[in-house]
DNA sequence: CGCCGATTAGTCAAGCTTGACTAATTTGAG
DNA sequence: CTCAAATTAGTCAAGCTTGACTAATCGGCG
């Protein structure tokens, strides 16, 4: 039971929803927050249902294909709160992903390493621009704090990249 | 083919190794950089072997259980470089993980939310201390840059958490 | 020497994740 | 009205990941 379950339980706490609705919302509005794919969401909902955290019943509107409607149970509400507390209380380890590449940085010619980090800086700028376009109001306090957080880390990353490139320029190869 | 393959290819580029050796090194020295588990490493090595990026042959020393020794092939060296370039050139998306919890922050009483974020700050401080204990020399340039990077982000996170807690204190509930 | 815990080396089954697919219904252009 | 494209709703098989396990050897203490 992880963050993905927390997200699904949180969405169902707000209102009962059918699978498609849930996945649409995630794809349209939460693509920055999670990369959970549709079949994963269905799988987790199945598990949550099997374990009694959500109830599932099928509904048929007109003669469209039947929908699976999920609602949270009291046990699910409890689990949501517990998970939320656990999640908020701990700081997850900072991204290793980019670092493995860094470990091998010195295996490339210095000039190329610099060029690649400059590309990384552009990539970062693009991502950042997309975040800055996000309307800051509309969102509730939690979401605003989350956006603020990401932007601060992006600025830190930009600063670090600038420094790293300078270090590479100043340090003799080998 | 992802960062885990990059790591394994990079390790084999330095020298041929048997499975146990690889996994020992990862567990002892790279636990901060990757959370790849032993069976995963074997599975990836199998795939790399199947696809011609590494060669695998079994060796028997004395009458100990046979070892699988992996060496990188020229095709593997090429793949390593390509992967390394691709990895260095892009900035991976900043951690969503912690953010899902934040999205639901306002579902808890304000006082509890504050207490939880204070716990998160302590957790962060613990992690940070463990990084600061890491000997800065010994490591090559790439690794030093990677450590520097994590420490900067940890400081940013501390600052953000301080601000977030202050905001929560100043913003009236609801 | 005998035996127990640690080390060496790896395997397996169960669960998780996702790209690709199915299949029906609605919409809209001509 | 009609046909193609888009939308709705979900499924499936294949691959990935890992906790738990096996099984042999080695080191050292009494």
């Amino acid at each position: 039971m992880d963050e993905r379950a927390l997200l699904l339980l949180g969405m169902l706490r707000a209102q009962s929803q059918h699978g498609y609705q849930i996945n649409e919302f995630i794809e349209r509005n939460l693509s920055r927050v999670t990369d959970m794919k549709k079949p994963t969401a269905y799988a987790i909902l199945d598990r949550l249902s099997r374990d009694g955290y959500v109830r599932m019943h099928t509904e048929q509107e007109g003669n469209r294909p039947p929908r699976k409607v999920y609602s949270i149970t009291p046990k699910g509400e409890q689990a949501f709160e517990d998970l939320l507390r656990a999640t908020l209380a701990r700081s997850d380890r900072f991204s290793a992903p980019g670092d493995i590449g860094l470990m091998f940085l010195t295996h490339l010619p210095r000039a190329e390493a610099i060029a690649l980090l400059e590309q990384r800086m552009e990539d970062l700028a693009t991502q950042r621009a997309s975040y800055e376009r996000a309307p800051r109001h509309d969102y509730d306090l939690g979401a605003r704090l989350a956006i603020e957080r990401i932007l601060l880390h992006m600025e830190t990353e930009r600063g670090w990249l600038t420094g790293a490139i300078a270090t590479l320029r100043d340090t003799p190869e080998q």
Side-chain angles (χ1 to χ4, degrees), chain A:
Chain A
M1 284 239 290
D2 57 325
E3 299 247 319
R4 293 171 162 195
L6 177 65
L7 176 59
L8 292 173
L9 288 174
M11 289 181 66
L12 292 178
R13 234 185 61 117
Q15 59 173 320
S16 298
Q17 300 187 58
H18 54 88
Y20 187 79
Q21 211 171 357
I22 292 172
N23 282 297
E24 269 302 283
F25 189 80
I26 290 175
E27 228 173 279
R28 287 210 201 295
N29 305 301
L30 303 180
S31 60
R32 288 217 193 65
V33 170
T34 182
D35 55 355
M36 176 169 51
K37 299 301 188 298
K38 204 169 23 156
T40 309
Y42 279 112
I44 295 175
L45 286 168
D46 277 352
R47 178 165 53 73
L48 290 174
S49 170
R50 185 197 64 199
D51 297 348
Y53 299 108
V54 312
R55 197 172 302 111
M56 181 184 79
H57 71 111
T58 42
E59 237 174 42
Q60 187 130 16
E61 197 180 330
N63 46 1
R64 314 192 95 271
R67 296 162 160 179
K68 296 184 174 176
V69 179
Y70 301 89
S71 357
I72 194 166
T73 63
K75 184 178 171 190
E77 302 251 11
Q78 186 58 54
F80 170 79
E81 279 197 31
D82 294 348
L83 259 178
L84 178 54
R85 290 196 180 91
T87 302
L88 285 173
R90 70 183 204 298
S91 173
D92 25 61
R93 243 157 266 313
F94 277 86
S95 67
D99 292 352
I100 291 182
L102 287 176
M103 279 179 37
F104 298 116
L105 188 69
T106 48
H107 294 307
L108 290 175
R110 191 58 46 102
E112 191 181 358
I114 291 171
L116 289 167
L117 290 189
E118 277 164 350
Q119 274 184 55
R120 187 189 275 214
M121 190 130 69
E122 278 177 48
D123 186 22
L124 177 65
T126 307
Q127 284 179 49
R128 192 177 180 179
S130 116
Y131 264 94
E132 265 155 359
R133 273 198 303 282
R136 300 195 304 173
H137 4 275
D138 313 3
Y139 291 130
D140 87 324
L141 180 56
R144 283 203 306 276
L145 287 172
I147 293 176
E148 176 75 10
R149 173 170 175 265
I150 298 286
L151 286 173
L152 283 171
H153 280 290
M154 285 179 163
E155 173 55 23
T156 297
E157 185 75 357
R158 200 193 58 71
W160 171 78
L161 268 172
T162 305
I165 290 170
T167 303
L168 284 174
R169 286 226 171 77
D170 296 349
T171 313
E173 187 136 5
Q174 180 56 290

